Amino acid sequence: MAYRNLVRSKARSTVDGRVASITELIHARPMMGGYMYILRCSDDSYYVGSTINILFRMQQHQDGEGAAYTKRRLPVELVYCLPCEWIVQAFWFEKRVQGWSRAKRKALISGDLHLLPELAKKKFPKRVAE
């Protein structure tokens, strides 16, 4: 897959409080310190990662040279990208989002940030008193 096809991705991110496309992110802020990203794999699962070069990393994933998880689930699609000032911030967000439920990740991807607090709550079944 050529770089130009990666740039046309439908990935979304929040930048300055609004949703932006991956094309806008790359061209408007090419010197960012890092990115936290979410990929949708061919089996409809999500992969969360971080990198300093999103285009190069996407090419690695598509070529099967990325993570072992994505290698077995090609092709992958970039569905979310968060630019960070420092790579350590991107890594921190990656580790945080990796612990999230699928529903919470979907809310982040779709830009429904107001749903995140409710989705963070644990749902325990009610016990029936004997």
Side-chain angles (χ1 to χ4, degrees):
M1 176 185 274
Y3 281 132
R4 62 181 144 65
N5 292 336
L6 293 174
V7 172
R8 290 185 194 142
S9 174
K10 297 176 188 171
R12 298 161 51 114
S13 179
T14 51
V15 176
D16 302 326
R18 62 185 178 77
V19 175
S21 70
I22 188 65
T23 305
E24 184 180 359
L25 291 171
I26 293 168
H27 293 295
R29 298 180 167 192
M31 301 306 281
M32 296 303 291
Y35 298 90
M36 185 280 292
Y37 62 94
I38 302 176
L39 304 177
R40 181 181 300 119
C41 301
S42 63
D43 65 355
D44 207 34
S45 63
Y46 292 122
Y47 173 83
V48 181
S50 59
T51 185
I52 57 172
N53 185 332
I54 191 70
L55 291 176
F56 181 73
R57 187 64 175 147
M58 279 301 301
Q59 190 66 52
Q60 284 181 315
H61 282 297
Q62 293 295 3
D63 292 344
E65 299 169 358
Y69 185 87
T70 58
K71 186 184 224 179
R72 298 184 308 270
R73 293 166 172 84
L74 293 174
V76 295
E77 175 188 8
L78 181 63
V79 293
Y80 185 82
C81 183
L82 176 69
C84 299
E85 190 171 340
W86 303 98
I87 187 61
V88 293
Q89 292 171 319
F91 182 72
W92 183 86
F93 280 116
E94 171 192 352
K95 294 304 170 192
R96 181 122 188 203
V97 174
Q98 281 176 345
W100 288 5
S101 67
R102 179 175 179 81
K104 198 168 176 183
R105 290 179 190 184
K106 284 177 84 169
L108 178 66
I109 291 165
S110 64
D112 295 327
L113 304 182
H114 65 281
L115 297 176
L116 296 180
E118 184 62 32
L119 292 170
K121 295 177 182 174
K122 299 282 185 188
K123 295 184 176 46
F124 297 102
K126 297 205 179 207
R127 293 185 183 181
V128 178
E130 293 181 30

